[in-house]
Amino acid sequence: MFATLNPSSVLQIPPLQRFKKLSLSTSFLHGSTPLSFLSKPAPSPPQTLNFLPSIRAMKSLQGRVVCATNDKTVAVEVVRLAPHPKYKRRIRIKKKYQAHDPDNQFKVGDFVELEKCRPISKMKTFLAIPVPARNSKKKVAEAAAGDLGIPLESQQQV
């Protein structure tokens, strides 16, 4: 593998020529490797493009207005269930978001949907949209009124 050199000849050879006498068995010395191995791999054939829309993260949230004192801004509290990191029991996690309310139409306690939009200010990146309240008493009152289209016995004409 290595050329044999006696100690007396090593001292007489200049330093650069010492290494030239050594024969190393590598294919990368002095560009002896063909360029086909060093070049980038050939690109794979183009795949057919899929024109379906990509799946994106959730862009809207629902919550309750907790503060409406600022002009054109409401603070909305969003509640979600998540497992506890240690006990694995589902717990409620609350987070407050600032949302844009251009008409100042929302009051404390209203249910709103937060839709992601461009940043309006440093903290406001959501737009508040009205949502009918859950378990509202109006729906219960309408259901009790007998709005089935069948008249009650006292309302029937004889």
Side-chain angles (χ1 to χ4, degrees):
M1 190 174 206
F2 294 106
T4 58
L5 296 172
N6 57 16
S8 63
S9 66
V10 172
L11 297 175
Q12 296 170 355
I13 302 173
L16 291 176
Q17 292 181 358
R18 278 187 222 159
F19 295 109
K20 289 182 181 178
K21 295 231 179 207
L22 297 174
S23 65
L24 299 174
S25 62
T26 176
S27 60
F28 290 103
L29 227 111
H30 305 295
S32 62
T33 304
L35 291 177
S36 62
F37 291 124
L38 299 176
S39 63
K40 293 181 181 177
S44 61
Q47 298 174 351
T48 58
L49 296 175
N50 191 358
F51 291 106
L52 295 174
S54 61
I55 298 172
R56 295 188 180 164
M58 179 174 55
K59 298 253 186 238
S60 64
L61 303 166
Q62 282 192 356
R64 184 186 299 264
V65 176
V66 291
C67 179
T69 55
N70 299 330
D71 187 34
K72 297 185 180 181
T73 303
V74 289
V76 180
E77 186 177 64
V78 176
V79 179
R80 66 183 181 90
L81 292 174
H84 189 276
K86 182 176 182 181
Y87 302 114
K88 309 301 181 205
R89 185 177 187 272
R90 290 179 17 146
I91 56 172
R92 285 190 182 100
I93 295 180
K94 298 177 183 179
K95 185 167 181 185
K96 280 172 52 172
Y97 295 95
Q98 300 291 323
H100 187 60
D101 178 19
D103 302 328
N104 291 324
Q105 63 180 346
F106 299 114
K107 312 249 182 303
V108 174
D110 291 346
F111 278 96
V112 294
E113 182 175 349
L114 301 179
E115 185 177 306
K116 188 94 170 142
C117 66
R118 65 176 178 81
I120 298 168
S121 69
K122 180 180 177 181
M123 300 294 291
K124 288 198 303 186
T125 57
F126 288 97
L127 182 66
I129 300 172
V131 171
R134 296 177 285 185
N135 300 332
S136 70
K137 295 179 181 176
K138 294 178 184 177
K139 290 181 182 178
V140 175
E142 290 175 0
D147 216 2
L148 300 175
I150 303 171
L152 298 175
E153 209 172 292
S154 59
Q155 293 175 346
Q156 288 181 354
Q157 296 176 358
V158 181

